[in-house]
Amino acid sequence: MQQETWARLVFEISVAAFAVGEFSQAVKWRRGASRTDLRGEVVFRIFFAGILMLPLAQTLAPEAILDGAWVFGLGTVIGWLGLMLRWWSFATLGKYFTTVVKTSADQVVVGRGPYRVLRHPSYTGLLAAFIGCGLMLGNWVGTAASFLLILVGLIYRLLREEHAMIDSFGDAYLDFARDRARLVPFVW
């Protein structure tokens, strides 16, 4: 196979893996959970815009090329590391991981797995997956625009999520949050 065919196959497998992982989490329903984020549609629209920026930028800014097999390779590594971190977060939280901010009476604050270091490792993984995808597509405008839109949506969501966790768990969540960065270890 030619290099371009391999690259397209790797990209398509990566996107399919991401989609399957996200869909499997989106269809989960937790008995006894109450929805605490009624503004989820705002985040969904921001995420959708971030996703659209990846192919749209190739049309609007075709000169913003990131060229070379090394860029594609770097994007593949970053993207898959992001997916693995996100999936590890899913597995660590188990039934408590949902795509809509929810709390339930049986829920606990989890401090194991990637949650030993970060408050929101699944969001860090999501950002890395989008950076990787953008690099794989090879357009720096799309990569940057997608990253910034997704980051804005995630910050909005994680702040709402933290308020819900504080309302539900009080000091237990505040103690957990005190020793962990939100998205980037030792930074924020």
Side-chain angles (χ1 to χ4, degrees):
M1 280 189 181
Q2 295 176 345
Q3 183 177 352
E4 293 167 3
T5 305
W6 275 109
R8 188 174 69 226
L9 180 62
V10 168
F11 179 77
E12 289 171 356
I13 289 170
S14 300
V15 170
F18 174 76
V20 167
E22 294 302 306
F23 181 74
S24 69
Q25 294 305 310
V27 298
K28 282 176 37 175
W29 176 254
R30 190 169 21 149
R31 245 183 251 276
S34 60
R35 185 174 176 163
T36 57
D37 183 7
L38 298 177
R39 297 182 200 146
E41 65 277 353
V42 171
V43 174
F44 174 78
R45 289 181 181 146
I46 292 171
F47 283 0
F48 189 69
I51 291 167
L52 284 179
M53 285 311 302
L54 291 169
L56 188 61
Q58 290 184 315
T59 302
L60 297 176
E63 68 285 349
I65 296 171
L66 296 168
D67 200 15
W70 72 271
V71 174
F72 184 86
L74 180 64
T76 301
V77 170
I78 292 171
W80 276 96
L81 287 174
L83 287 179
M84 289 189 290
L85 177 58
R86 189 150 168 87
W87 295 341
W88 186 18
S89 302
F90 294 168
T92 300
L93 287 183
K95 71 178 185 174
Y96 299 116
F97 190 97
T98 58
T99 56
V100 177
V101 177
K102 297 178 183 182
T103 58
S104 60
D106 68 333
Q107 191 171 345
V108 296
V109 177
V110 175
R112 65 183 183 285
Y115 294 90
R116 288 177 295 175
V117 179
L118 292 170
R119 288 185 236 173
H120 306 281
S122 69
Y123 299 160
T124 302
L126 185 64
L127 283 169
F130 276 96
I131 290 170
C133 186
L135 292 174
M136 290 170 78
L137 287 173
N139 185 291
W140 68 265
V141 170
T143 303
S146 177
F147 172 79
L148 290 173
L149 283 167
I150 301 279
L151 181 63
V152 166
L154 286 177
I155 289 172
Y156 175 81
R157 180 184 160 103
L158 74 79
L159 292 175
R160 294 194 53 75
E161 184 175 313
E162 287 185 351
H163 287 299
M165 297 296 281
I166 291 167
D167 288 347
S168 294
F169 303 109
D171 289 338
Y173 185 77
L174 292 172
D175 290 341
F176 164 83
R178 189 171 296 117
D179 299 329
R180 291 160 180 86
R182 286 182 171 105
L183 291 175
V184 180
F186 313 110
V187 177
W188 186 79

